[in-house]
Amino acid sequence: MKITRYNGVEPQLQKRHQLIPAILNSLEEIVWSASAQTYKLLYINRAAEKVFGRTLAELYDQPNIWQLMIHPDDRQRVEQVFETLGERGNQAVEYRIVRPNGEVRWIHNRVCAIADIQGRVIRIDGIATDTTKGKQAEAQLCTESDLLQGIMQTSVAAITVVDTQGNIIFANARSQQVLGLTQSELVERHYNSPTWKITDFQGGPFPEEQLPFRQVMATGQPVFDVQHGIEWADGTRKYLSINGAPLKDADGVITRIVFSISDITHRQKVEEQLLYDALYDKLTKLPNRTLFMERVDHALKLAKRNQDYLFAVLFLDLDRFKIVNDSLGHDVGDQLLIATARKLEKCLRTTDTVAHLGGDEFTILLEDIKDIKDATRVAERIQVTLKSPFNLNNHEVFTSASIGIALSSTGYERTEDILRDADIAMYRAKELGKARHEIFDKIMHAQTLKLLTLENDLRRSLERQEFEVYYQPITSLVTGTLTGFEALVRWRHPERGLVSPVEFISVAEDTGLIIPLGEWVLYEACRQLRMWQTQFPTPEPLKISVNLSGKQIKEPDLIGQIDHILEKTGLDGRFLKLEITESVLMENAETVTKMLLQLRARDIQLSVDDFGTGYSSLSYLHRFPVNTLKIDRSFVSQMNHKSRNAEIIRTIITLAHSLRMDVIAEGVETLEQLTELKLLNCEQGQGYLFSKPLTKSEAGLLLVRLPQW
Ligand code: C2E
Ligand code: CA
Ligand code: CA
């Protein structure tokens, strides 16, 4: 039995001896044992081969475990653990190993010290696992969460995460500032039904369905830059730009929404300021012309749609502003404008608009009035209000206004037209004695219309060749012979007949038509004179005077045009005289001088027209290369009775001669005038006494009758 037992046990034991290495070798974990004295490996299982990348034989060959099995940087730390093992018993240590190919792996090692009967540590046993993968994942996790943390912390935007009910489940620190709520307050809020008031930028309540939360939940799509105004109980207002994106689970169901919210209050304020600057007058803080025109435009649209809708535009100009400005200074002038603005506002309903157009001009839009009386009543109220003196810088300043009124019932198409008519009516009020109002009426309307028609007709007249040049003879007062002509344009209007240049030249200047017209007159006159010169030769060749408008002088290519005309007509520049009025000469002194010098170089003659009516800057005259002064008709017509005019003419003539210029007297109508002018040594004369302006055939006849040489 004993034997049997023994026999029975022995094979089992043997089997066990084989079993243990087999089990050990089948483990994924590394099982090892090393001497505590030499740290030489005593045992290691097969799992080590895979982890260390060495065969078991190679591993057993190591003089100690440090050499190739532990990363040199970790050795000290591991050694310390091993050396203190006796006191602590079981320990875990994690360290790196280096594989022959240089690859580094992490090992997690649970180690324990094995002591002999005396308690001396003789062995260290351990079970190790390869934790490299876990380590890497951990490292990645760590950087991702660091990154996220960093973003959350440094973001200038509030970042919040809400659940599908709209409860805030996360908010970064910045949220407190942006949303103006403490962390604990924040958590109580719902994005779904915000307890703070969300309004849109116009200040009205924000429609609930447009709340970003609702939008994201409804569409499952992100929202970008939804702009909200949020108002707190204390009235402070912030503008927010909200971006939101849903987070979805694997089935695409929304689980959370992330919001990023920026405070755009500052940006919004800057934009508002820019808009304000573009639409309001800095000085008076009233709407400017742009905004006013916008409002009138809007009213005009309403009136076009609705027959009963009536509005009025008032054009207001302060009567004595220039005097105040010049005598008391710009500061007081500015104050007067500001004070006037405030007074005007008081005269109006809140729905009306008063604007400052600039200078001392204001405009008022009275919307939705019953009849014209509503407008005149406002005008009267303004007059009364302005009557009480302003106290500006301790000066009592009195002012009044001239007001023009235009009514929408006139049937306007364009905004500018109604403003223009109110302006015309305002001028009428000024003409009629100021401090009053005038309504733009039929007569004013007719006058404007006439001007407009004239303008339109004029545009077409050139191509239709409705212009004609008349020629008024210029006579030498010394010899009594004809010296030349002044070319004077005439407009043969298909319905109105001959129209005086007094009526249309200024319109032609305003419309720019004077440029082609002037060029045509110049060409026509030169061509005609050249023909007469060859047909009717005189000992002293005839000259032609052509009027140049201020607009033409400013044409950069004027000289080129003249050169071209002279070349084409074959006229010598010596026989062309250009007339420029005194005021044009003085107002454009620099351009004109340059141009005149160029004309001089071509031997073209120059006359100062209407002399005496301008600034009379006699002292200036010598600066201009001028040949002739034409004394204005107004002096000549009144020189009869030994008046002051005769003295003036004498002075002009003396001056002209001292500057080596000759003189032509305009508008000579009587023999008396002629005699007087001769006595004053005036060289030439022009006027009805000699001849009215003649058509070219009439002028031709005159030339035929001239004594032939
Ligand atoms: P202006 O250059 O002073 O021309 C003289 C004006 O006085 C002419 O009027 C002429 O008909 C008028 N006149 C001449 N003698 C007498 C007289 O004895 N008594 C009276 N009461 N009037 C006399 P017109 O032709 O109506 O021209 C008026 C103005 O129109 C001209 O004044 C000139 O400034 C302008 N004008 C005429 N033709 C042209 C032109 O071709 N180009 C330009 N730019 N302006 C022109
Ligand atoms: Ca003239
Ligand atoms: Ca003249």
Side-chain angles (χ1 to χ4, degrees):
M1 202 166 121
K2 217 182 167 184
I3 291 170
T4 319
R5 236 176 74 189
Y6 180 83
N7 281 347
V9 171
E10 190 62 4
Q12 269 185 322
L13 249 176
Q14 258 187 340
K15 263 191 196 164
R16 263 199 205 155
H17 274 297
Q18 290 158 357
L19 198 64
I20 292 171
I23 293 173
L24 287 176
N25 280 331
S26 69
L27 288 177
E28 285 229 2
E29 285 92 354
I30 301 167
V31 180
W32 61 275
S33 184
S35 155
Q37 273 75 51
T38 60
Y39 289 109
K40 187 160 169 51
L41 266 184
L42 300 174
Y43 173 79
I44 196 155
N45 66 350
R46 275 202 193 283
E49 287 188 324
K50 223 170 98 190
V51 176
F52 286 93
R54 295 171 202 268
T55 62
L56 285 182
E58 281 172 330
L59 288 169
Y60 281 123
D61 265 358
Q62 302 300 320
N64 56 51
I65 55 169
W66 307 122
Q67 219 49 42
L68 292 167
M69 295 175 64
I70 296 179
H71 195 290
D73 290 355
D74 292 349
R75 175 172 173 169
Q76 208 183 355
R77 189 162 54 85
V78 180
E79 222 169 333
Q80 211 168 12
V81 173
F82 286 4
E83 261 151 29
T84 55
L85 262 183
E87 299 134 40
R88 298 194 205 164
N90 245 335
Q91 276 277 337
V93 60
E94 203 164 27
Y95 58 85
R96 288 163 293 176
I97 57 138
V98 188
R99 286 159 62 102
N101 63 0
E103 188 191 338
V104 174
R105 290 209 176 177
W106 281 90
I107 299 281
H108 180 269
N109 218 338
R110 260 177 297 123
V111 288
C112 65
I114 308 293
D116 63 7
I117 316 165
Q118 280 87 37
R120 280 177 305 168
V121 175
I122 52 162
R123 238 171 58 216
I124 296 168
D125 291 353
I127 299 178
T129 46
D130 184 342
T131 54
T132 311
K133 277 212 179 91
K135 267 283 179 202
Q136 281 169 349
E138 197 179 291
Q140 193 159 353
L141 258 181
C142 181
T143 49
E144 266 172 23
S145 80
D146 279 355
L147 203 65
L148 214 58
Q149 198 66 32
I151 292 171
M152 293 287 187
Q153 276 172 3
T154 54
S155 166
V156 284
I159 297 173
T160 60
V161 180
V162 303
D163 64 17
T164 51
Q165 307 304 306
N167 300 307
I168 298 177
I169 53 176
F170 171 84
N172 69 347
R174 182 71 190 161
S175 304
Q176 300 184 35
Q177 281 136 283
V178 174
L179 299 174
L181 298 166
T182 66
Q183 200 95 30
S184 60
E185 278 175 312
L186 261 174
V187 176
E188 286 165 21
R189 303 280 154 159
H190 283 237
Y191 266 69
N192 200 5
S193 55
T195 6
W196 64 81
K197 210 163 93 193
I198 289 193
T199 52
D200 71 10
F201 282 104
Q202 269 65 49
F206 198 84
E208 284 230 337
E209 64 279 7
Q210 281 182 35
L211 289 175
F213 173 79
R214 296 267 170 102
Q215 275 189 54
V216 176
M217 282 305 286
T219 62
Q221 297 299 319
V223 290
F224 296 104
D225 197 25
V226 180
Q227 301 193 350
H228 276 190
I230 292 194
E231 202 180 301
W232 277 264
D234 65 0
T236 48
R237 223 174 131 74
K238 263 191 189 177
Y239 296 106
L240 304 178
S241 162
I242 304 174
N243 300 295
L247 300 181
K248 298 175 182 176
D249 64 13
D251 299 326
V253 177
I254 300 178
T255 55
R256 303 253 188 279
I257 300 174
V258 180
F259 285 110
S260 153
I261 304 169
S262 314
D263 185 344
I264 54 164
T265 312
H266 179 68
R267 189 179 90 193
Q268 189 63 23
K269 290 222 166 107
V270 170
E271 277 170 17
E272 276 176 5
Q273 186 63 43
L274 281 176
L275 193 67
Y276 183 89
D277 290 347
L279 297 177
Y280 288 84
D281 171 53
K282 263 211 179 66
L283 181 68
T284 60
K285 308 271 183 281
L286 290 180
N288 64 11
R289 179 186 287 268
T290 311
L291 182 55
F292 185 78
M293 294 307 259
E294 248 172 48
R295 301 241 167 115
V296 175
D297 199 47
H298 178 74
L300 202 60
K301 284 197 179 106
L302 285 181
K304 275 185 196 165
R305 251 184 275 142
N306 179 0
Q307 286 266 307
D308 297 332
Y309 184 86
L310 187 66
F311 69 90
V313 170
L314 275 61
F315 202 109
L316 186 148
D317 188 291
L318 294 183
D319 289 329
R320 264 183 299 276
F321 183 72
K322 207 174 139 41
I323 300 172
V324 173
N325 219 21
D326 291 352
S327 59
L328 300 177
H330 288 297
D331 279 351
V332 177
D334 284 353
Q335 284 181 43
L336 177 60
L337 291 175
I338 295 168
T340 305
R342 299 291 87 81
K343 279 197 181 186
L344 290 176
E345 280 171 332
K346 284 206 187 100
C347 297
L348 302 174
R349 303 168 300 175
T350 48
T351 49
D352 300 328
T353 303
V354 53
H356 184 216
L357 291 201
D360 57 348
E361 292 178 343
F362 295 87
T363 46
I364 295 166
L365 170 66
L366 303 177
E367 292 196 67
D368 202 11
I369 53 172
K370 274 195 255 6
D371 54 40
I372 181 74
K373 281 206 204 89
D374 281 344
T376 52
R377 229 175 280 134
V378 169
E380 279 154 18
R381 204 181 313 145
I382 290 172
Q383 299 293 11
V384 173
T385 311
L386 290 182
K387 223 173 234 158
S388 58
F390 293 84
N391 193 328
L392 307 173
N393 272 8
N394 293 328
H395 295 286
E396 266 209 338
V397 178
F398 289 87
T399 187
S400 64
S402 299
I403 303 174
I405 305 174
L407 269 186
S408 65
S409 54
T410 316
Y412 288 99
E413 280 297 323
R414 299 185 314 169
T415 335
E416 313 91 73
D417 293 349
I418 188 162
L419 199 70
R420 178 205 59 205
D421 286 357
D423 191 12
I424 291 171
M426 183 277 289
Y427 267 101
R428 186 96 189 102
K430 276 221 193 286
E431 279 166 15
L432 292 174
K434 301 182 178 171
R436 54 182 292 150
H437 63 262
E438 281 299 315
I439 300 161
F440 184 79
D441 63 12
K442 291 244 163 59
I443 299 167
M444 287 185 231
H445 186 65
Q447 283 167 348
T448 330
L449 212 63
K450 197 174 151 199
L451 207 65
L452 271 178
T453 332
L454 188 77
E455 219 179 281
N456 283 334
D457 288 353
L458 205 56
R459 282 180 210 282
R460 272 175 255 130
S461 55
L462 246 188
E463 354 169 335
R464 294 188 183 171
Q465 301 185 312
E466 291 170 2
F467 292 104
E468 224 173 286
V469 180
Y470 273 46
Y471 299 90
Q472 185 171 35
I474 298 173
T475 309
S476 160
L477 302 190
V478 185
T479 62
T481 54
L482 178 77
T483 58
F485 297 98
E486 176 174 2
L488 294 161
V489 69
R490 296 288 178 268
W491 180 15
R492 201 170 290 281
H493 192 282
E495 287 138 37
R496 295 175 55 195
L498 223 51
V499 184
S500 157
V502 180
E503 207 177 318
F504 69 81
I505 289 290
S506 64
V507 183
E509 283 184 327
D510 288 348
T511 55
L513 200 83
I514 192 72
I515 303 294
L517 176 63
E519 196 181 347
W520 178 80
V521 172
L522 190 64
Y523 171 77
E524 186 58 23
C526 290
R527 192 185 61 85
Q528 190 60 61
L529 183 77
R530 179 77 194 119
M531 257 164 66
W532 285 333
Q533 276 183 349
T534 36
Q535 266 182 306
F536 313 105
T538 46
E540 185 66 32
L542 295 173
K543 292 198 168 92
I544 187 80
S545 296
V546 180
N547 294 285
L548 269 195
S549 118
K551 276 271 162 68
Q552 284 173 280
I553 307 277
K554 289 187 196 120
E555 266 292 285
D557 194 36
L558 179 68
I559 300 286
Q561 282 177 14
I562 295 174
D563 281 343
H564 182 68
I565 287 171
L566 290 179
E567 199 193 349
K568 222 173 144 189
T569 58
L571 186 74
D572 192 324
R574 274 184 299 154
F575 309 123
L576 175 63
K577 260 192 171 186
L578 295 175
E579 297 194 358
I580 301 170
T581 62
E582 188 188 358
S583 39
V584 168
L585 185 73
M586 294 300 169
E587 277 162 27
N588 309 283
E590 251 172 63
T591 12
V592 173
T593 313
K594 264 190 224 143
M595 208 205 56
L596 296 189
L597 287 171
Q598 282 177 282
L599 293 175
R600 253 286 162 88
R602 288 160 175 76
D603 264 344
I604 295 168
Q605 308 274 299
L606 293 157
S607 300
V608 180
D609 206 352
D610 302 346
F611 192 79
T613 58
Y615 301 78
S616 283
S617 8
L618 299 178
S619 55
Y620 254 63
L621 212 55
H622 69 277
R623 300 194 188 177
F624 301 104
V626 166
N627 309 84
T628 306
L629 291 190
K630 290 187 86 171
I631 301 176
D632 191 67
R633 203 169 69 223
S634 55
F635 296 101
V636 178
S637 65
Q638 288 178 26
M639 68 186 300
N640 312 26
H641 0 270
K642 296 261 169 224
S643 61
R644 241 179 56 111
N645 276 308
E647 276 316 301
I648 292 174
I649 293 176
R650 183 196 301 278
T651 316
I652 293 175
I653 293 172
T654 315
L655 173 86
H657 290 165
S658 74
L659 293 173
R660 308 166 71 92
M661 298 172 186
D662 58 8
V663 180
I664 301 179
E666 289 188 310
V668 185
E669 295 182 351
T670 65
L671 276 169
E672 270 174 289
Q673 289 164 356
L674 175 64
T675 320
E676 190 77 24
L677 286 164
K678 275 185 180 168
L679 279 175
L680 291 173
N681 287 330
C682 180
E683 283 88 357
Q684 296 178 78
Q686 178 184 350
Y688 294 169
L689 178 68
F690 308 104
S691 167
K692 290 205 166 185
L694 307 169
T695 63
K696 66 177 169 201
S697 43
E698 286 169 342
L701 283 176
L702 178 80
L703 289 170
V704 173
R705 287 202 306 270
L706 277 184
Q708 299 293 309
W709 280 276

